[in-house]
Amino acid sequence: MGAHAAPARHRRGRRPRPRPVTDTGSTGTGTARRSTTLSWAIPAALAAVYALYAGFLHRGEGPTDWGDVLFGLVAGLVFGALCYALGRKQGALPRETRALAYGALGGIAIGLLRSLAGGSLLTSAVIGLIVGAAIGAAAFYVFYTHE
C-alpha cells in the first residue's frame, strides 16, 4: 500500500528583463543606457513636494518673500538631484550600502525640515536619526526579501 505523493509545486522563475538599448554614438563602443520615465519622474515629484514644504516652513509667520521661494527651490533641487543620483546608482551598490544611503538621505531630509519648523538642533538631529534608521531598516528589509 503505497502512499501517493503530492504533486510537486513549481515555482515560477523571474521573467527576463528587457535588454537595455545600446547607444553606439560617435565612439562606437556600445555603452548601455537604460532610462525610464519613472527614473526622473519620481525624484522630480519628491523634489517638488519637498521644495514647497521647505519654502513654507522657511517662511515662518511672515509673508512669503523671494528668499523663501529661492530657499525652497534650492532645497528641492538638491533633494531631487540626490534622489535621482541614488536611484541611478543603486544597482551598483550592495544591499547594506544601498539601505544605508536611503536611510541617510531620508534622515537628513527630515532633520532639515524639523529644524526649519523651529526645533532645536538636538531635537532635529534625534528625529533625523530615528527616521533615518527606520527608513534604512525598511529599505534593507525590502532589498533583502526581493533579491
Side-chain angles (χ1 to χ4, degrees):
M1 292 211 221
H4 295 288
R9 287 181 38 189
H10 296 287
R11 295 186 71 183
R12 286 190 210 172
R14 291 186 178 180
R15 288 187 281 171
R17 291 183 174 177
R19 297 186 68 138
V21 177
T22 57
D23 180 21
T24 57
S26 61
T27 60
T29 58
T31 58
R33 65 178 168 87
R34 184 175 182 195
S35 180
T36 63
T37 304
L38 289 179
S39 69
W40 60 267
I42 291 175
L46 288 173
V49 171
Y50 193 81
L52 288 172
Y53 197 55
F56 171 75
L57 290 176
H58 190 260
R59 178 179 62 93
E61 296 293 323
T64 302
D65 60 358
W66 287 107
D68 302 327
V69 173
L70 183 63
F71 182 82
L73 284 175
V74 169
L77 284 174
V78 169
F79 182 69
L82 289 174
C83 287
Y84 180 76
L86 182 58
R88 296 296 288 179
K89 298 296 180 190
Q90 72 177 348
L93 299 173
R95 71 174 75 109
E96 295 86 5
T97 309
R98 194 176 346 154
L100 182 67
Y102 275 106
L105 181 62
I108 291 169
I110 295 299
L112 175 68
L113 291 178
R114 177 64 184 137
S115 70
L116 288 174
S120 69
L121 181 64
L122 182 62
T123 305
S124 301
V126 168
I127 288 177
L129 283 173
I130 291 170
V131 170
I135 291 173
F140 179 76
Y141 175 77
V142 168
F143 299 146
Y144 187 75
T145 57
H146 288 86
E147 288 183 358

